[in-house]
Amino acid sequence: MTPQELFEDAARRPSEVAGHVLDGIDPDVLNTLPGGTANSIAWLVWHAARQQDVQVAQLAEAAEMWTAQGWSERFGLDVPDSAMGFGDGPEDVARIRVASPDLLRGYLDAVVERTVTYVHGLTDAQLDDVVDRSWDPPVTRGARLVSTVDDAAQHLGQAAYVRGLLEDGWSGPY
């Protein structure tokens, strides 16, 4: 297995979890902020996709899919196009209201496909390129890619947990 194939397997897993979490979900459950302040499932899935879209676009020196492919217009959110969820408080989270779980799934899947395609075009040496010297140690392209998948996996796990909290009898894929 090549590093690119290994990464592909890891990158697709959050989308698989999203499929389970979003399957048959009621829009009220999708958009509920547990306790009135915790992240909603809609925000968690949106952020998982947005952060990966932004970071991979930067690495690839390409436009974000959010704007370039019209996802921002389809979502119609009350947030700037540059928003991606880092540092959001309860009021920011509450602005991420999505009527269709299919829209969230479509955006996440599109971002993951673009990420996988990008990674398959990289050489092993390019994975070692330093892309951010503001950290100690400096961040490589490979480490940045792994962090986007890790962030997505954590947020999709949280989304599964939130659905279980809000919906009696629901259980995740595992």
Side-chain angles (χ1 to χ4, degrees), residues 1 7-8 32 35 38 52 54 59-60 80 85 92 104 109 116-117 121 126 140 156 165 173:
M1 180 177 270
F7 180 85
E8 177 179 355
T32 296
Q52 189 169 101
V54 169
L59 290 173
D92 302 306
L104 283 164
D109 287 349
V116 166
T117 299
Q126 287 172 311
T140 64
L156 268 297
L165 284 176

Side-chain angles (χ1 to χ4, degrees), residues 15 38 80 111 119 156 162:
S15 283
V111 167
V119 169
L156 268 297
V162 169

Side-chain angles (χ1 to χ4, degrees), residues 7-23 41 44-53 65 71 101-116 148-157 159-160 163 170 173-174:
F7 180 85
E8 177 179 355
D9 181 59
R12 291 188 188 285
R13 291 180 185 219
S15 283
E16 292 170 12
V17 174
H20 293 289
V21 170
L22 298 173
D23 185 39
I41 294 167
L44 289 162
V45 177
W46 170 81
H47 170 68
R50 277 297 290 136
Q51 62 81 25
Q52 189 169 101
D53 185 9
M65 297 177 73
W71 290 101
D102 293 338
L103 188 61
L104 283 164
R105 180 74 194 272
Y107 178 49
L108 178 61
D109 287 349
V111 167
V112 168
E113 287 306 313
R114 195 264 311 266
T115 300
V116 166
T148 70
V149 171
D150 179 54
D151 189 90
Q154 289 185 50
H155 284 88
L156 268 297
R163 184 155 183 197
W170 185 86
Y174 306 107

Side-chain angles (χ1 to χ4, degrees), residues 33-132:
L33 279 67
T37 59
N39 296 333
S40 67
I41 294 167
W43 184 91
L44 289 162
V45 177
W46 170 81
H47 170 68
R50 277 297 290 136
Q51 62 81 25
Q52 189 169 101
D53 185 9
V54 169
Q55 293 186 80
V56 173
Q58 288 172 352
L59 290 173
E61 298 178 352
E64 294 172 21
M65 297 177 73
W66 182 245
T67 51
Q69 293 188 2
W71 290 101
S72 174
E73 288 84 21
R74 282 180 260 179
F75 274 77
L77 300 176
D78 182 26
V79 298
D81 282 344
S82 61
M84 63 184 213
F86 285 130
D88 279 3
E91 289 137 12
D92 302 306
V93 172
R95 282 199 268 305
I96 306 301
R97 295 197 53 81
V98 180
S100 167
D102 293 338
L103 188 61
L104 283 164
R105 180 74 194 272
Y107 178 49
L108 178 61
D109 287 349
V111 167
V112 168
E113 287 306 313
R114 195 264 311 266
T115 300
V116 166
T117 299
Y118 171 69
V119 169
H120 277 287
L122 297 173
T123 65
D124 292 356
Q126 287 172 311
L127 292 170
D128 290 331
D129 289 345
V130 172
V131 296
D132 188 347

